Amino acid sequence: MATLAPSAAPERKRRSEAQSFFILACLMAATIVAGFLLNIVMGRSTFASPLIVHVHGITFMGWLGITLTQMRFAAAGPLGLHRKLGWISVVYVPWMVLMGFLVMRHSLQTTGGPFFFAQNEFLWGNGTALVAFAATIGWAIARRRDTAAHSRLMLCAFSVLTGPGLGRLLPEPLLIPYAWDTVVVATLIWPAIGMALDHRRHGSVHRAWFQGVALIVGLQVAAQLIAYSPIGIAATRSVIAGTPGADRPMAAFLPPDFGA
C-alpha cells in the first residue's frame, strides 16, 4: 500500500481539480439558461419563433449537455468516455458556428438586432465571438495531451458562450453605448474565477488562462476596429439592405416606448 500511495496522489489531485472545473462549468451553463428563462418570463421571448431560432437553441443547449457530461467524466471517470465525447466537437462545433451566423443574420434582417447594440457592433462582435469560441476549442483539442492546458482552454471557450445569457441578465438598455463592451467584460469573470482557483490550489496561475483570454480579447478588439471602419459599416449595410432590419438606426438606441 505504501508504494501505491505516491502514484495515487497525482490522480486524486487531478480529479479534485477536474471537479472544481466541472462546478465552474455548471455555473456557466446555469447563467446561460437563467438568461433565456428570464426573457421568456418577462415576455421578451416566445416559443412562437421561426424554425431557425429553435434549431439554433437546441444546437447550443445540446453542446452544453455534451460538454457538462464530458467534464463530469473527466472528474469522475471513465476517462475513455470523456475522450470519445470530446471528438464529437470536431463535427459539432462547426455546426454551432454555422447556426450562430445564420440566426445572427436572421435577427439583423428581421428586427435589426437588439436595439441596445449598434448593428455593426452586433454583426462583427458576434461573428468574432463565434470564431473565438471555435478557435479556442480547436486549440484545446490540439493540446489535449497537456490536460492542464486542455481543460483551461475549454473553459475559456465555454466562457464565450455565456455572453448571450449574461446579456439577458444585465440591464443592457441602460448601458448604451457600452452594452456590448459590458457583456464582453462580464464573460471574463469565468476565466478570472479559474485563475483564482489555480492560485489557491497551486500558488500560481496556469498560462493557458492568459493564452485563452488573450485570444478572445484580441479578437474582440479587432472586431471593434473592423466594425467601425468603412469596410465594417459597408458590410453591415449589405447584410440588412432591403430587409426590415434596415429600418432602424445602425447605432444603438432606445425605442420611444421603452419603459412604457
Side-chain angles (χ1 to χ4, degrees):
M1 292 298 293
T3 59
L4 291 176
S7 61
E11 177 60 14
R12 285 198 300 270
K13 290 181 179 179
R14 186 200 66 77
R15 286 180 178 267
S16 176
E17 181 175 87
Q19 180 64 23
S20 298
F21 289 165
F22 172 68
I23 293 172
L24 180 58
C26 287
L27 291 174
M28 287 193 271
T31 299
I32 296 170
V33 173
F36 282 90
L37 284 179
L38 177 64
N39 258 22
I40 293 172
V41 171
M42 297 293 290
R44 290 178 280 186
S45 295
T46 173
F47 287 107
S49 299
L51 178 62
I52 188 172
V53 176
H54 291 294
V55 174
H56 168 267
I58 292 169
T59 296
F60 278 73
M61 289 301 173
W63 187 85
L64 292 185
I66 292 169
T67 301
L68 290 180
T69 302
Q70 186 189 15
M71 295 187 75
R72 181 58 184 163
F73 285 147
L79 283 176
L81 285 178
H82 165 81
R83 297 187 183 101
K84 288 179 180 178
L85 275 177
W87 284 113
I88 294 177
S89 297
V90 175
V91 176
Y92 204 89
V93 168
W95 170 250
M96 292 173 68
V97 172
L98 174 62
M99 289 308 306
F101 274 106
L102 289 177
V103 85
M104 178 175 59
R105 184 184 66 176
H106 168 79
S107 175
L108 280 168
Q109 292 182 344
T110 56
T111 68
F115 63 84
F116 40 79
F117 294 144
Q119 290 177 314
N120 52 324
E121 195 171 45
F122 180 67
L123 175 65
W124 289 96
N126 238 339
T128 302
L130 289 167
V131 172
F133 166 72
T136 312
I137 290 285
W139 196 1
I141 292 174
R143 298 185 68 180
R144 62 190 178 277
R145 296 187 186 280
D146 181 352
T147 55
H150 171 78
S151 58
R152 288 161 175 80
L153 288 172
M154 285 295 297
L155 287 167
C156 284
F158 204 147
S159 72
V160 176
L161 294 191
T162 64
L166 287 165
R168 287 163 171 80
L169 294 172
L170 294 169
E172 291 291 79
L174 304 181
L175 299 173
I176 295 172
Y178 306 109
W180 183 266
D181 300 321
T182 302
V183 172
V184 172
V185 171
T187 63
L188 299 179
I189 190 173
W190 309 112
I193 293 173
M195 291 178 187
L197 290 173
D198 265 14
H199 192 272
R200 181 178 180 181
R201 186 182 297 271
H202 305 293
S204 61
V205 178
H206 196 286
R207 64 181 179 275
W209 289 119
F210 298 109
Q211 293 168 341
V213 169
L215 175 62
I216 294 165
V217 173
L219 286 173
Q220 279 298 319
V221 170
Q224 289 288 320
L225 294 175
I226 296 171
Y228 288 96
S229 70
I231 293 175
I233 292 172
T236 305
R237 285 178 176 152
S238 70
V239 170
I240 60 177
T243 71
D247 296 338
R248 60 154 275 187
M250 182 171 289
F253 70 102
L254 284 177
D257 60 347
F258 177 76

